[in-house]
């Protein structure tokens, strides 16, 4: 049963006796709990927030609703890592409850200043008529790990011309000045991003709207904007809501993508850029968030889920997880995502195989499992269809293949196990032309992330197969191809 508004907007202190303990026991019985992805201990996880390196540790927060798989009173939940592949839960990082975040601590970002980690976020409030009023707020963490909220918001009003859909500040520093970009909706119900600047993180001046060459009606709201510079390019990531599907593009309920261009002119706010590209070609990717690693790499983590959709784990009292961290690079004007090298620490029990297939399927007995990394390279492509079936058993399977005639990659989860809502579909595809293919899969109990040719394209998806579906099978149709494959267990 769906929760009432009153149930969804409780504080954790208002939990009924044994409510969270019972929910935890219910979740422990779920067959789809992940092995190496960040997931909520109870309830719902969504946007990653405050991703940062501070005091010798990586810090990551995420939106958390503790009472079930619904969106209600949000907290920032805090997890930390020394190596970006094993994470330790700290607990609640920022609690709602003050006048400026009475109905939730919404998304934001982090920056180090004066040996403290400052956390800038949107405070969600509702008035007696349930009308939203957002505030941009600040908290800070000291070197002992204690987080303290500031008494007052640092941005208290929404500028003229914009609605109260005004949230998700991403902050950075350029020379001696701090800047933040905020996702917004104009009064005419179209999406955009706006820019602020500050000399001290506390006092912010509204600069105006970012000027892009996108159509003025490119979505009705831009969520989770993130601006950074990489290899002398300016990069703007954001999640525009309300794009209509165009062929293979924009097939999900909401999209996430990027613009690559010249560095943003911080005086004029003009951003000269190329076309908008989707970050991920799969089913379940949203609310991307980046930071710099200790050694200067630009890292990205996303929410492996989407708003306003039901998932099979809902019945078990929890929903969603985060992606593995990905390293970003620019290759021929395109943003490339590659799994971080630190994940190699998780590799166990290496198994290899090499074979040529001609109009046949080959189950590799040595390859199996619920959680693993698998890389296969395909050469001498003479077949029309070349692919892999994984998390397979009998009629259950997830399929990824290349159509060498249509020149496209296809992910098919129509037989992946427990089905998801029909409106989300079961097929995702994208145009791709290559004489050789390298496919890298990160499979977990209820997800897969697929990287093609070292990150030229990525497909991210939740899947919900039976625990017995562990087989891996390669295939070709209408011709032959040679496979070189290696698998490592992550269990």
């Amino acid at each position: 049963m769906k929760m009432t508004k009153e149930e969804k907007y409780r504080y954790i202190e208002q939990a009924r006796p044994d409510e969270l303990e019972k929910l935890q026991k219910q979740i422990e019985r779920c067959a789809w709990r992940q092995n190496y992805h960040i997931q909520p201990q109870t309830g719902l996880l969504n946007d990653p927030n405050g991703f940062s390196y501070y005091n010798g540790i990586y810090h990551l927060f995420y939106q958390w609703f503790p009472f079930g798989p619904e969106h209600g009173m949000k907290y920032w939940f805090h997890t930390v890592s020394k190596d970006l592949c094993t994470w330790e839960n700290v607990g609640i990082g920022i609690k709602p409850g003050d006048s400026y975040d009475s109905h939730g601590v919404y998304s934001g970002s982090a920056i180090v200043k004066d040996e403290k980690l400052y956390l800038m976020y949107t405070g969600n409030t509702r008035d007696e008529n349930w009308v939203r009023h957002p505030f941009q707020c600040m908290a800070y963490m000291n070197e002992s790990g204690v987080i303290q909220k500031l008494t007052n918001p640092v941005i208290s009003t929404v500028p003229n011309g914009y609605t109260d859909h005004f949230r998700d500040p991403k902050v950075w520093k350029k020379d001696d000045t701090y800047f933040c970009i905020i996702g917004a909706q104009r009064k005419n119900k179209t999406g955009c991003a706006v820019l602020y600047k500050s000399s001290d993180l506390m006092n912010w001046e509204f600069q105006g709207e970012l000027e892009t060459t996108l159509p003025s009606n490119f979505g009705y709201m831009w969520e989770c904007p993130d601006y950074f510079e990489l290899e002398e390019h300016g990069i703007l990531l954001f999640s525009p809501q309300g794009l209509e599907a165009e062929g293979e593009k924009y097939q999900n309920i909401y999209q996430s993508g990027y613009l690559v261009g010249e560095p943003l002119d911080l005086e004029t706010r003009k951003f000269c850029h190329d076309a908008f590209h989707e970050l991920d070609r799969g089913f379940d990717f949203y609310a991307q968030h980046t930071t710099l690693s200790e050694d200067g790499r630009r890292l990205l983590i996303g929410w492996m889920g989407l708003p306003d959709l039901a998932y099979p784990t809902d019945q078990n009292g929890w929903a969603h997880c985060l992606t593995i961290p990905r390293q970003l690079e620019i290759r021929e004007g395109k943003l490339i995502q590659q799994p971080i090298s630190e994940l190699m620490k998780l590799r166990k029990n290496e198994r290899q195989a090499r074979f040529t297939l001609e109009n046949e399927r080959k189950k590799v007995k040595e390859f199996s499992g619920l959680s693993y990394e698998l890389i296969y390279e395909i050469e001498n492509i003479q077949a029309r269809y070349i692919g892999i079936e994984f998390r397979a058993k009998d009629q259950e399977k997830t399929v990824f293949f290349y159509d060498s005639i249509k020149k496209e990659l296809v992910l098919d989860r129509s037989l992946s196990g427990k089905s998801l809502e029909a409106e989300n579909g079961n097929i995702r595809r994208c145009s791709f032309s290559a004489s050789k293919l390298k496919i890298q899969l990160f499979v977990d109990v209820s997800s897969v992330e697929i990287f093609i040719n070292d990150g030229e394209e990525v497909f991210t998806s939740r899947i919900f197969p039976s625990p017995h579906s562990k087989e891996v099978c390669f295939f070709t149709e209408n011709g032959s191809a040679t496979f070189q494959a290696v698998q490592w267990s992550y269990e």
Side-chain angles (χ1 to χ4, degrees):
M1 291 181 59
K2 290 287 186 180
M3 294 182 181
T4 64
K5 184 192 300 182
E6 289 74 22
E7 288 176 315
K8 290 194 292 186
Y9 284 89
R10 291 176 292 159
Y11 299 116
I12 200 166
E13 294 83 3
Q14 296 171 304
R16 296 184 293 272
D18 299 327
E19 179 179 5
L20 291 174
E21 290 82 357
K22 290 178 180 177
L23 186 58
Q24 182 69 61
K25 290 179 180 179
Q26 177 186 350
I27 291 167
E28 289 173 355
R29 295 191 294 269
C30 178
W32 294 310
R33 292 291 281 176
Q34 302 274 61
N35 279 328
Y36 62 94
H37 283 80
I38 293 171
Q39 60 192 343
Q41 56 187 11
T42 65
L44 180 141
L45 165 158
N46 58 297
D47 305 8
N49 298 148
F51 191 19
S52 50
Y53 183 79
Y54 167 67
N55 203 22
I57 296 175
Y58 288 97
H59 297 264
L60 181 61
F61 303 81
Y62 56 78
Q63 296 283 283
W64 182 51
F65 174 67
F67 295 118
E70 299 191 44
H71 292 273
M73 184 73 76
K74 296 293 177 66
Y75 292 73
W76 272 30
F77 193 90
H78 186 194
T79 186
V80 297
S81 177
K82 293 182 178 179
D83 60 8
L84 290 168
C85 57
T86 56
W87 294 86
E88 178 183 351
N89 287 337
V90 177
I92 293 172
I94 306 179
K95 297 181 179 182
D98 291 294
S99 59
Y100 50 81
D101 58 13
S102 58
H103 288 70
V105 178
Y106 278 17
S107 289
S109 56
I111 193 168
V112 177
K113 176 180 181 285
D114 299 333
E115 299 182 346
K116 295 183 177 68
L117 183 68
Y118 283 83
L119 308 168
M120 189 172 183
Y121 67 94
T122 297
N124 182 46
T125 71
R126 299 278 187 167
D127 64 20
E128 62 276 7
N129 297 314
W130 206 245
V131 175
R132 181 197 310 267
H133 297 288
F135 297 91
Q136 312 311 316
C137 309
M138 192 74 75
Y140 64 88
M141 179 195 299
N142 64 23
E143 291 181 288
S144 299
V146 177
I147 297 176
Q148 178 70 44
K149 291 196 290 187
L150 298 191
T151 304
N152 297 307
V154 293
I155 300 175
S156 299
T157 59
V158 175
N160 291 333
Y162 303 94
T163 74
D164 285 329
H165 287 287
F166 192 82
R167 55 183 174 268
D168 311 338
K170 179 62 190 286
V171 62
W172 74 95
K173 187 179 183 182
K174 180 75 170 180
D175 298 326
D176 294 327
T177 304
Y178 296 94
F179 294 89
C180 83
I181 187 173
I182 297 176
Q185 182 186 67
R186 305 182 187 101
K187 289 289 189 182
N188 65 1
K189 303 298 190 291
T190 58
C192 63
V194 300
L195 185 69
Y196 282 77
K197 75 174 183 179
S198 171
S199 61
D200 58 5
L201 287 180
M202 300 296 122
N203 300 284
W204 291 91
E205 301 173 10
F206 177 63
Q207 301 300 290
E209 191 174 307
L210 262 63
E211 295 186 19
T212 72
T213 56
L214 294 172
S216 60
N217 62 345
F218 193 77
Y220 61 75
M221 170 65 192
W222 289 8
E223 292 197 306
C224 303
D226 189 339
Y227 177 79
F228 55 90
E229 292 175 7
L230 182 64
E231 299 171 24
E232 300 182 350
H233 293 80
I235 314 290
L236 177 63
L237 313 181
F238 62 104
S239 296
Q241 298 182 318
L243 299 185
E244 296 294 329
E246 298 178 14
E248 68 184 32
K249 298 193 300 183
Y250 314 148
Q251 290 295 313
N252 292 328
I253 183 172
Y254 301 124
Q255 321 309 323
S256 291
Y258 67 91
L259 302 172
V260 175
E262 300 173 6
L264 173 66
D265 188 321
L266 294 167
E267 294 297 324
T268 65
R269 305 179 310 285
K270 288 184 178 180
F271 184 44
C272 299
H273 58 82
D274 295 333
F276 178 82
H277 294 279
E278 290 181 87
L279 274 163
D280 198 282
R281 300 298 192 141
F283 297 88
D284 302 291
F285 181 92
Y286 197 69
Q288 62 290 317
H289 187 58
T290 76
T291 192
L292 286 175
S293 68
E294 178 187 11
D295 57 3
R297 292 169 293 159
R298 177 62 59 171
L299 306 180
L300 176 147
I301 285 182
W303 168 21
M304 204 188 299
L306 285 170
D308 304 330
L309 290 177
Y311 283 78
T313 58
D314 290 1
Q315 66 189 21
N316 300 108
W318 71 283
H320 308 307
C321 58
L322 298 181
T323 68
I324 59 172
R326 305 169 181 183
Q327 179 178 339
L328 301 182
E329 298 176 2
I330 296 290
R331 189 184 302 161
E332 296 180 357
K334 184 175 182 179
L335 194 61
I336 302 298
Q337 303 173 65
Q338 298 188 69
I340 58 169
S341 58
E342 286 88 343
L343 292 169
M344 292 181 185
K345 297 177 183 178
L346 299 177
R347 292 174 172 176
K348 295 180 290 187
N349 304 322
E350 179 180 309
R351 297 172 290 275
Q352 296 189 25
R354 180 178 175 85
F355 46 87
T356 298
L357 301 181
E358 183 167 2
N359 296 317
E360 59 184 312
R361 297 171 70 256
K362 178 180 177 62
K363 181 170 70 174
V364 181
K365 293 182 180 179
E366 297 82 6
F367 291 4
S368 68
L370 304 178
S371 300
Y372 54 83
E373 177 189 350
L374 192 156
I375 299 175
Y376 64 98
E377 299 186 53
I378 311 171
E379 298 179 333
N380 306 318
I381 297 175
Q382 303 296 321
R384 174 166 185 178
Y385 301 110
I386 313 101
I388 186 173
E389 299 170 354
F390 57 96
R391 292 303 311 275
K393 179 73 172 179
D394 299 327
Q395 298 304 307
E396 197 168 84
K397 57 188 176 182
T398 301
V399 185
F400 186 75
F401 66 90
Y402 180 59
D403 184 332
S404 66
I405 301 299
K406 288 188 176 180
K407 304 294 185 186
E408 65 180 15
L409 298 160
V410 181
L411 175 62
D412 183 349
R413 67 174 182 185
S414 57
L415 297 175
S416 290
K418 186 73 173 179
S419 60
L420 284 84
E421 291 184 275
E423 67 183 282
N424 212 30
N426 289 312
I427 304 288
R428 289 291 181 270
R429 62 186 77 233
C430 79
S431 300
F432 197 86
S433 181
S435 59
K436 296 181 180 180
L437 288 171
K438 177 184 176 184
I439 313 295
Q440 186 171 15
L441 293 86
F442 287 84
V443 176
D444 209 343
V445 177
S446 56
S447 69
V448 61
E449 295 167 76
I450 306 173
F451 298 80
I452 298 91
N453 284 7
D454 295 316
E456 289 185 31
E457 297 289 355
V458 187
F459 287 73
T460 299
S461 180
R462 297 301 302 277
I463 53 175
F464 299 93
S466 161
H468 305 293
S469 297
K470 298 181 179 181
E471 296 175 354
V472 176
C473 178
F474 297 88
F475 66 89
T476 64
E477 294 181 22
N478 300 335
S480 63
T482 299
F483 295 78
Q484 175 76 44
V486 58
Q487 184 194 43
W488 297 271
S489 173
Y490 277 23
E491 297 179 37

